[in-house]
Amino acid sequence: FIEVGVNPNVEVIRDSLPINSRRNIRVTPGRYEFNEYFVLANTNSSAPLSFNTRYSIGDFYDGYRRGYSLGTTVRANEHFNVSGTVQFNDIELPQGAFTTTLVTGRVNYFLNTKVFLNALLQYNTDARQWSSNVRFNVIHRPLSDIFLVYNERRDSRTGSMIDRALVAKM
C-alpha cells in the first residue's frame, strides 16, 4: 500500500527542552503548532519478505525537519519474524542544525495466540546510545494482558549502563 497524509502537532513546552543534548540544542518554552507531511509505502507485510519506506517533511518546533526511513521484515513462519529499520532525521532549528540516525532491530516470537515475546534493540547515533527492550506478554483474558518488561540503555563509547528497569504491568 501507499499512504499520503499529514500529522498535525501541537506541543506546549513549559521548560527549556533538550532536543539534542550532545550539541546542547534546546527548544525554548512556548506553544508550537506544526504539521508533518508524509508518504509511506509498504509491500505485502504477510509475505515471507517485505519492505517499507517513509519520507516526511514539515515544520518542527521553530525550525524544519526532513525524515527518511527504510525497513525490511523477514517472516520465517507464523511464529517468528525479524525486522530492521534505519531512520534518518535532518533537523534545522535556529539554535543549530543536526542529523540523527536511528537503527532499529526487532524480533517477535509468538508461542501461541495468547503468549508473545518481543525484543527491540536500537542505536541512536546522535545520543551514542544503545537501548534494548524485551517484553513477555500473556493475554489471560481478552483486554487483560500481563506484561513483564526489561529495559536497558548503554553508552556506546564506554559500554557503561545508563539505566535499566524490570517492570511488571497488568
Side-chain angles (χ1 to χ4, degrees), residues 18-99:
I19 194 141
N20 186 303
S21 53
R22 191 163 67 117
R23 292 180 177 86
N24 200 25
I25 298 174
R26 304 176 80 76
V27 175
T28 56
R31 179 182 169 88
Y32 297 91
E33 295 183 36
F34 51 93
N35 292 321
E36 174 198 38
Y37 303 93
F38 68 90
V39 175
L40 169 68
N42 284 359
T43 62
N44 180 359
S45 61
S46 64
L49 181 63
S50 61
F51 300 93
N52 63 74
T53 186
R54 188 176 196 274
Y55 174 71
S56 62
I57 58 171
D59 293 337
F60 186 70
Y61 296 105
D62 52 356
Y64 194 77
R65 185 183 73 81
R66 282 178 242 30
Y68 321 83
S69 74
L70 297 167
T72 188
T73 299
V74 176
R75 190 169 311 287
N77 56 42
E78 68 275 9
H79 296 284
F80 182 75
N81 67 58
V82 178
S83 64
T85 303
V86 62
Q87 177 183 0
F88 305 96
N89 284 293
D90 185 10
I91 298 171
E92 297 171 15
L93 297 169
Q95 303 87 336
F98 58 96
T99 302

Side-chain angles (χ1 to χ4, degrees), residues 88-150:
F88 305 96
N89 284 293
D90 185 10
I91 298 171
E92 297 171 15
L93 297 169
Q95 303 87 336
F98 58 96
T99 302
T100 65
T101 304
L102 183 66
V103 180
T104 304
R106 292 180 187 273
V107 176
N108 297 305
Y109 185 72
F110 309 96
L111 284 83
N112 56 48
T113 58
K114 294 186 176 196
V115 182
F116 317 97
L117 182 65
N118 313 103
L120 168 73
L121 180 65
Q122 289 187 318
Y123 179 67
N124 182 319
T125 60
D126 194 64
R128 294 182 180 159
Q129 289 180 4
W130 286 97
S131 61
S132 59
N133 171 283
V134 178
R135 181 178 70 171
F136 183 68
N137 180 7
V138 176
I139 303 172
H140 68 95
R141 281 191 331 241
L143 301 176
S144 295
D145 293 49
I146 297 172
F147 298 96
L148 185 59
V149 182
Y150 177 76

